[in-house]
Amino acid sequence: MKGAYRTRQQDELLDYLKQTPGAHYTAAQIREHFAHQEKSIGTATIYRQLERFVEDGTVRKYLLDTGDSACYEYVAQKELCASHFHCKCEKCGRLIHLECDELKQIQSHLLTAHGFAWNSGKTVFYGVCDQCRKQI
Amino acid sequence: MKGAYRTRQQDELLDYLKQTPGAHYTAAQIREHFAHQEKSIGTATIYRQLERFVEDGTVRKYLLDTGDSACYEYVAQKELCASHFHCKCEKCGRLIHLECDELKQIQSHLLTAHGFAWNSGKTVFYGVCDQCRKQI
DNA sequence: TTGCGTGCAAAGGTTTTGCATGGCA
DNA sequence: TGCCATGCAAAACCTTTGCACGCAA
């Protein structure tokens, strides 16, 4: 059965992600973090736990580019999971977390008007950010 | 300099993608296709050419899941794709082209309120389409 | 004690890179 | 002829899996 036991690794991993809501980490970054701690966590365990958290809705997973690894991010309030959106700047590569009520409304619009159940956690908006637009 | 020369591989690759607009292929599928042709195309070349096409806007690239390979799809009318939106179904892989005024309003909202110039041609909304939702 | 979780190492994939060769202009 | 593109093989990565051991309940 799944999630039957609670382990040290499970707790430490989730605690780490909770520390900085909104921040995103790759599996490698997480492993690196715990490598410097008293007790490290095996790579396989990191992936297996993250997979559970994602399934559970506690953590969000998204892909940026091929070759890059997936990013994982703690979801502060599950019910508000769609509370922010990801914008990736094509110039500087920066990932922007955007709070936007207007975008939230789009989700229900896409569903009711177009029948499309949008997975906003997985979607990344590409474009050019404020700073980079000024430089051009 | 980039794209200075025009080669057989370049032409054949683009012709293949053009044959079926709206269909998406992985690099592996493309290589497999040409393996059965008179002249095959090396894997590295496929990736290098696809990268160019994507940069050029001729081909769109999608990431569906980790571990899965990226998908590539020919863009029929480059100029038209800037004006509408793309939804990719995570179940059936279908790409839906969407005309939507609400989304256009969001686009200008992102620019004026958040300073983010959203490139709708490159952005893909992930989710589950109408047909696939019914099947579940 | 039971059986799930962990960690290591190896496997499995995809994508990238180095380098000599081929081919376009 | 000059240089870019190609192809092969190897490398580099990320992620998953098998298996024995550890640990929670």
Side-chain angles (χ1 to χ4, degrees):
Chain A
M1 188 207 163
K2 256 191 177 177
Y5 298 160
R6 186 171 165 182
T7 62
R8 170 186 71 83
Q9 291 85 341
Q10 213 171 95
D11 286 345
E12 289 190 355
L13 185 48
L14 197 52
D15 281 346
Y16 176 57
L17 295 174
K18 269 185 187 169
Q19 274 177 35
T20 49
H24 57 280
Y25 304 98
T26 63
Q29 288 173 323
I30 293 171
R31 187 189 43 200
E32 186 62 16
H33 169 78
F34 285 104
H36 298 314
Q37 303 300 102
E38 284 182 48
K39 296 195 171 187
S40 64
I41 301 182
T43 308
T45 300
I46 291 173
Y47 278 106
R48 284 190 275 232
Q49 285 297 345
L50 285 173
E51 189 185 357
R52 287 184 171 191
F53 293 147
V54 169
E55 208 170 309
D56 175 68
T58 309
V59 164
R60 235 164 122 173
K61 174 184 182 180
Y62 48 88
L63 303 167
L64 289 178
D65 284 305
T66 317
D68 289 12
S69 48
C71 288
Y72 299 88
E73 172 183 340
Y74 177 68
V75 173
Q77 302 117 308
K78 271 192 236 183
E79 61 284 356
L80 290 177
C81 178
S83 70
H84 74 260
F85 304 90
H86 294 118
C87 298
K88 173 100 176 176
C89 178
E90 299 180 280
K91 296 287 177 193
C92 65
R94 194 161 59 101
L95 184 71
I96 300 152
H97 299 255
L98 207 70
E99 280 292 337
C100 180
D101 289 331
E102 277 83 353
L103 266 178
K104 278 186 213 171
Q105 292 170 19
I106 285 299
Q107 190 149 30
S108 59
H109 171 77
L110 279 175
L111 188 60
T112 55
H114 303 282
F116 189 78
W118 177 28
N119 178 352
S120 64
K122 208 166 186 177
T123 301
V124 178
F125 290 80
Y126 290 95
V128 180
C129 75
D130 207 15
Q131 294 171 18
C132 289
R133 278 198 307 124
K134 287 174 186 165
Q135 289 172 14
I136 299 170
Chain B
M1 188 207 162
K2 257 191 177 177
Y5 298 158
R6 186 170 164 180
T7 62
R8 170 185 71 83
Q9 291 86 340
Q10 213 172 97
D11 286 344
E12 288 190 356
L13 185 48
L14 197 52
D15 281 346
Y16 176 58
L17 295 174
K18 268 185 187 168
Q19 273 177 35
T20 48
H24 57 279
Y25 305 97
T26 63
Q29 289 172 324
I30 293 170
R31 187 190 42 201
E32 186 62 15
H33 169 79
F34 285 105
H36 299 313
Q37 303 299 101
E38 284 181 48
K39 296 195 171 187
S40 64
I41 300 182
T43 307
T45 300
I46 290 172
Y47 278 106
R48 285 190 275 232
Q49 285 298 344
L50 284 174
E51 190 185 358
R52 288 184 171 192
F53 292 147
V54 169
E55 208 170 309
D56 175 68
T58 310
V59 163
R60 191 172 282 123
K61 174 183 182 179
Y62 308 100
L63 302 166
L64 289 178
D65 282 305
T66 317
D68 289 11
S69 48
C71 289
Y72 299 87
E73 172 182 341
Y74 177 68
V75 173
Q77 301 119 307
K78 269 193 245 182
E79 61 286 352
L80 268 182
C81 279
S83 68
H84 65 252
F85 305 90
H86 301 102
C87 299
K88 187 84 177 175
C89 178
E90 298 182 280
K91 297 285 177 196
C92 65
R94 192 161 59 100
L95 182 73
I96 300 152
H97 299 256
L98 214 67
E99 279 293 335
C100 179
D101 288 332
E102 275 85 352
L103 276 176
K104 278 182 193 167
Q105 285 172 26
I106 287 297
Q107 192 159 28
S108 60
H109 170 78
L110 278 178
L111 187 60
T112 55
H114 303 281
F116 188 77
W118 174 18
N119 177 351
S120 61
K122 211 164 187 175
T123 301
V124 178
F125 289 80
Y126 291 98
V128 180
C129 76
D130 209 14
Q131 295 171 17
C132 288
R133 279 198 305 124
K134 287 175 187 166
Q135 290 172 14
I136 299 169

